[in-house]
Structures are given as structure tokens and as C-alpha cells.
Amino acid sequence: MLRIGNRRQEIYDYFHNNEACQQFFFDAAQEERYAAYYTSMYLVQDTSESLLVHRARGFSSDPHAAYIEFWGVMQALIIQQDSISELYKAVTAGQLDIRALSSWQTVRTLRNACAGHPAKKDRPKNSPVTRTFMGRRFGGYPAITYEQWQAQKGITHPTVKLDALIDGYAKEAAAKLLEVLQSMKEQWPASTKQKCER
């Protein structure tokens, strides 16, 4: 998460020290793109900081609180992913391609399996029915275990190294934020850089 926060800060600094970049986003014709930029930047910061703090503390020993915390961690990761996608679009005017980002995709799949869509309304009708359940002592960042039932396969107990998954995702996300920064530098080169007194 720290690398995501660092990349986000680099983007923030470049924006606030580049008059041409600011002029582009402050133009009335770019109002929606600017709103996407600044709300995404706030959400990337808030999710990064919150995930860092929680990871340092770990999940509660109270299983009821731990459930809420796990669901919150997974939702924060999705909020962050969506914010990075919106930031990418706001700056580059293109869609972020996440197909090759394996940890990014695994985070979404895990969230949907364990915290997102218990009614399975997000799955195609031809997909096998899968149901998941997390026991009261599901684990922590080193590893979480949940129960999964799947039609024709029965019950399994997948284990996910949550800390390693989040680290892999953070590396991928930071690389995408670097693409955002590089796009800014190409569109609004540093030669036009000067401190704005706003």
C-alpha cells in the first residue's frame, strides 16, 4: 500500500506544480474529468492510509468485529481499484486494461466470493453455483480460510495468503499509477512546470 500512496503523491505533486496541467483540468469543458481526478485522488489516499493502518493492527480477536473488518478491507480494495480506474480515465482519456493484472483480478474474485455477492446475481447463468462461508476464526493477513461449496464438486476450504495477495495487487496498482504519471508528463511536460499560487 505504501507504494500506491507514494505514486499517488507523485501524481498530486506533478499536478500542483504544473500550470498547464491545472489549466487543462480547471477548464469548464473538463469539469467532469476534473471531478473524477480529484475524487479518485482522495479515495486512493483514504483507502491506502486506512488499509496500511489496519494491516499494521491486524484483525480483531472479536469474531464479529473481524467479519466487519474483513468485509471493509475487501471493499476498500475494490473502492481503490475503481478509483485508480477512474483516475486513469480522467488523465489518459482511455480505459484501464486490467485483464493482465492477476492479483488485481484475484482481489475482485475473493471480494465477490467472500464479501460481495452472496446471491450470486453477478455470475452468468451457465456458471456452476458456488456458495461461500467464513467461519468465526477465518485467520488474518498471513492467511484466511473460508468454506466453499460448488455444484458437482462439494465442499472445499480454500486458503488465501491475504498479505501476499494485497502486496501483489499493490505492485500492479502502483505500476498503473506510474502510467498515469507518465501520461501527465507527456501531455503537460515539465518544461511548462511552475508553481501555481492557488
Side-chain angles (χ1 to χ4, degrees):
M1 274 311 121
L2 195 54
R3 66 179 58 159
I4 292 174
N6 290 341
R7 283 284 180 247
R8 182 245 174 234
Q9 188 63 46
E10 289 176 291
I11 292 167
Y12 177 89
D13 291 342
Y14 195 83
F15 179 96
H16 286 280
N17 289 298
N18 189 296
E19 190 174 331
C21 181
Q22 291 176 35
Q23 286 176 353
F24 174 81
F25 279 103
F26 294 159
D27 186 295
Q30 302 303 330
E31 182 179 14
E32 192 279 329
R33 282 178 76 176
Y34 179 56
Y37 167 84
Y38 76 77
T39 56
S40 296
M41 289 290 285
Y42 284 134
L43 289 168
V44 170
Q45 179 180 15
D46 291 346
T47 54
S48 295
E49 291 172 355
S50 297
L51 288 163
L52 275 169
V53 167
H54 187 270
R55 189 161 171 185
R57 190 188 72 210
F59 291 97
S60 174
S61 60
D62 174 351
H64 301 103
Y67 279 139
I68 298 296
E69 291 172 12
F70 175 76
W71 297 329
V73 164
M74 297 310 298
Q75 189 60 26
L77 289 165
I78 299 305
I79 291 167
Q80 186 175 83
Q81 289 181 349
D82 291 349
S83 298
I84 291 170
S85 294
E86 287 298 308
L87 178 61
Y88 187 95
K89 183 178 178 182
V91 171
T92 70
Q95 295 292 327
L96 178 61
D97 184 0
I98 60 170
R99 291 175 293 184
L101 305 177
S102 61
S103 294
W104 184 299
Q105 296 289 355
T106 302
V107 164
R108 291 190 88 81
T109 300
L110 180 63
R111 180 269 187 179
N112 289 345
C114 294
H117 299 287
K120 308 301 174 201
K121 293 180 181 181
D122 65 317
R123 302 225 174 138
K125 299 273 188 232
N126 59 353
S127 291
V129 175
T130 302
R131 307 236 180 250
T132 61
F133 168 79
M134 295 181 69
R136 296 216 170 164
R137 301 283 180 215
F138 59 82
Y141 283 101
I144 62 156
T145 302
Y146 60 97
E147 182 173 299
Q148 177 176 277
W149 175 88
Q150 189 173 39
Q152 287 98 38
K153 290 189 179 178
I155 296 173
T156 59
H157 295 91
T159 297
V160 176
K161 293 179 179 175
L162 189 58
D163 53 3
L165 175 60
I166 291 171
D167 290 345
Y169 154 71
K171 185 176 180 182
E172 293 172 349
K176 292 303 172 184
L177 290 172
L178 180 58
E179 289 178 23
V180 170
L181 180 61
Q182 289 169 335
S183 177
M184 292 172 82
K185 290 178 178 181
E186 289 168 12
Q187 293 179 74
W188 307 287
S191 62
T192 61
K193 192 175 178 183
Q194 56 180 257
K195 187 71 178 170
C196 181
E197 299 302 322
R198 292 184 190 261

